[in-house]
Amino acid sequence: LYAFFHFQNTYREDFRTMAEEPRNSSDPSAFAHTDTMSAILITAYSVALAGGGLGAIMMSFVLVKMNTLSVTTTAIINLVVVHSLLLLTVPFRLHYYVSKSWAFKMPLCKLVSAMVHIHMYLTFLFYVITLVIRWLIFFQWKDKVEFYRKLHAMAASAAVWLSVMIFVVPVLYFEYGRSGSYNDTTCFKFHKELQQESVKALNYFIIVAATCITCALLALQIFILVKVARKLSTSLWSHQEFWAQVKNLIFICVIIICFLPHHLFRAYYIQHVNDFDHLESYNEVFLSLTALSCLDLLSFVLSGS
């Protein structure tokens, strides 16, 4: 009995210590995450790196064999590129979470940190483009949506990436991490930026916009599925059109599972970022979920989409 109570007290003390592990946000040199949080982050990014890398390679072989100039194919090609760019930065994150110290320069820390956000919103954009094109075809507004020349597809893709390079990257590089002093041995601790009213307003706008667009996409896809179900009531499960619309749900499910939780939590995080130190770790965990969207290419290949 004595041993039981001794074990119980020791367990409680260990749990309390783990919960109160380096959470001192006022110390810029302190590693922000407990061992438990570090394990979650390492697992999430490792899965994204392995599955995303395999999916990008397999999808690249599929795209090479295709001889089409459709807008959907162009969007998927860009999706492969943006996933690959994120995956190139993941090893730096894993090294940091394992060693608990940033061994590289601060500019690289800013780039690695910003790349997660760039990846999330570009992926979201390419998803929306793909869904809209497929819906246009479904409603027979267009028989097919294709570029007439490869140069047109390249120009459209270049326009998107050029916009990111001109309007997004410079702002992130020069303005990201300017609101406080940051230690060179720590990374991804840029929450002080959220104290600026302009940054708060921008974040709220993005949260509302992303949530509304996601709800609109889901509602429209459900409407289409109901319409198809009524049209093909007798042969629903064997009809290709129904399964084509079901596969559209892959895009929306990725948005809901990987992107939406981050945005919803961020609304709370912005309000209480200075109240609870552990929120920083939770925010990083929700952000790591966005990296799991890299698994979409693998799901496309395996499902025959």
Side-chain angles (χ1 to χ4, degrees), residues 55-303:
I57 293 173
M58 294 176 67
M59 182 60 76
S60 297
F61 282 110
V62 172
L63 293 171
V64 167
K65 297 178 181 178
M66 297 178 65
N67 186 22
T68 178
L69 297 174
S70 70
V71 177
T72 300
T73 303
T74 304
I76 297 300
I77 292 173
N78 282 277
L79 202 57
V80 173
V81 174
V82 72
H83 284 347
S84 300
L85 290 176
L86 173 69
L87 294 177
L88 288 176
T89 67
V90 169
F92 296 102
R93 282 184 172 273
L94 292 175
H95 180 274
Y96 176 64
Y97 294 136
V98 171
S99 65
K100 300 183 180 181
S101 178
W102 184 254
F104 312 96
K105 299 296 183 181
M106 186 55 62
L108 182 58
C109 171
K110 293 181 180 180
L111 177 62
V112 173
S113 181
M115 191 61 219
V116 176
H117 300 279
I118 294 174
H119 165 265
M120 175 169 48
Y121 293 115
L122 278 179
T123 300
F124 187 88
L125 174 63
F126 294 135
Y127 280 1
V128 172
I129 291 174
T130 303
L131 287 170
V132 169
I133 295 303
R134 298 180 73 163
W135 288 339
L136 288 175
I137 296 173
F138 172 79
F139 287 110
Q140 297 181 348
W141 292 337
K142 292 283 186 179
D143 293 332
K144 58 182 179 179
V145 183
E146 293 186 349
F147 293 107
Y148 293 105
R149 295 182 179 179
K150 289 184 178 181
L151 182 62
H152 295 165
M154 294 175 61
S157 300
V160 174
W161 287 100
L162 192 60
S163 299
V164 174
M165 296 298 295
I166 293 176
F167 299 108
V168 178
V169 173
V171 173
L172 288 174
Y173 183 80
F174 291 108
E175 298 297 329
Y176 204 43
R178 292 188 60 184
S179 297
S181 58
Y182 299 98
N183 192 285
D184 288 337
T185 61
T186 58
C187 193
F188 316 128
K189 296 184 66 173
F190 300 116
H191 55 278
K192 294 179 182 179
E193 310 295 322
L194 296 175
Q195 296 175 353
Q196 301 181 35
E197 293 301 323
S198 59
V199 176
K200 284 185 179 180
L202 177 61
N203 273 270
Y204 284 134
F205 173 78
I206 293 175
I207 291 168
V208 172
T211 304
C212 291
I213 293 174
T214 302
C215 292
L217 293 175
L218 180 60
L220 184 55
Q221 187 59 58
I222 292 175
F223 169 78
I224 292 174
L225 283 171
V226 172
K227 186 175 181 179
V228 171
R230 290 178 177 177
K231 178 182 177 182
L232 307 171
S233 56
T234 57
S235 58
L236 180 64
W237 301 106
S238 60
H239 204 283
Q240 185 178 359
E241 184 178 0
F242 172 75
W243 289 110
Q245 294 303 323
V246 170
K247 288 178 180 179
N248 283 348
L249 285 174
I250 294 178
F251 294 98
I252 300 176
C253 286
V254 172
I255 293 175
I256 293 174
I257 295 173
C258 297
F259 298 158
L260 198 58
H262 165 71
H263 286 85
L264 297 179
F265 176 78
R266 194 164 183 81
Y268 178 83
Y269 178 63
I270 293 172
Q271 288 294 322
H272 303 279
V273 62
N274 295 319
D275 298 340
F276 308 102
D277 293 335
H278 61 269
L279 289 183
E280 184 181 346
S281 290
Y282 293 157
N283 184 64
E284 285 295 316
V285 170
F286 279 107
L287 196 60
S288 70
L289 289 179
T290 67
L292 295 177
S293 63
C294 293
L295 300 176
D296 58 356
L297 297 177
L298 187 60
S299 68
F300 296 157
V301 175
L302 296 179
S303 65

